Amino acid sequence: EKELIDPAQFGIVIADESHNLKTIDAKRTTVSLPFLKNSTITICLSGTPVLNRPVELFSQLQGLLPDVFSQSTFGAFAKRYCDAKPHRFHSGMDASGVSNEAELRVLLEGM
């Protein structure tokens, strides 16, 4: 039987190449987020800029500030910063755009 690492046992977590956590349903994101959320101090490092898709920031923000950015707040985040609209081909939302970019930049710079 595999022995699992308890995400709550780490006080400080450093997520190098955190831009790889951009897809909320990806295995690496679902495995990593509990460690980020449960630590006392979380540091996300990335040399890759987020160019045009604020939606790719959400999972990192969820790990850094889980009380502010939870799965239940994704819709509001997508509408405010991703110019979310009903998807043309299925019942979900298309959050691939960008809106309120200056506001988001100010919020991120304050972190």
Side-chain angles (χ1 to χ4, degrees):
E1 182 177 321
K2 285 185 181 180
E3 200 172 309
L4 300 177
I5 299 172
D6 180 10
Q9 73 185 26
F10 297 96
I12 299 172
V13 173
I14 300 171
D16 194 13
E17 302 295 338
S18 63
H19 61 274
N20 288 316
L21 303 176
K22 65 184 178 181
T23 306
I24 197 70
D25 296 328
K27 181 126 179 133
R28 81 174 74 199
T29 303
T30 58
V31 168
S32 300
L33 277 180
F35 290 91
L36 276 61
K37 290 179 179 180
N38 285 301
S39 69
T40 305
I41 298 171
T42 301
I43 301 170
C44 289
L45 302 173
S46 179
T48 303
V50 175
L51 299 174
N52 298 316
R53 294 192 175 186
V55 70
E56 295 177 357
L57 282 173
F58 189 78
S59 57
Q60 293 175 69
L61 293 171
Q62 207 176 5
L64 291 168
L65 299 168
D67 293 335
V68 177
F69 297 97
S70 65
Q71 200 56 36
S72 65
T73 64
F74 176 75
F77 179 88
K79 287 178 185 172
R80 183 93 188 143
Y81 301 113
C82 307
D83 194 27
K85 298 178 174 87
H87 200 280
R88 290 177 48 190
F89 302 110
H90 59 75
S91 62
M93 296 294 284
D94 176 4
S96 62
V98 62
S99 53
N100 299 304
E101 189 175 5
E103 177 183 311
L104 181 58
R105 184 175 290 116
V106 168
L107 288 173
L108 293 173
E109 286 173 354
M111 294 179 77

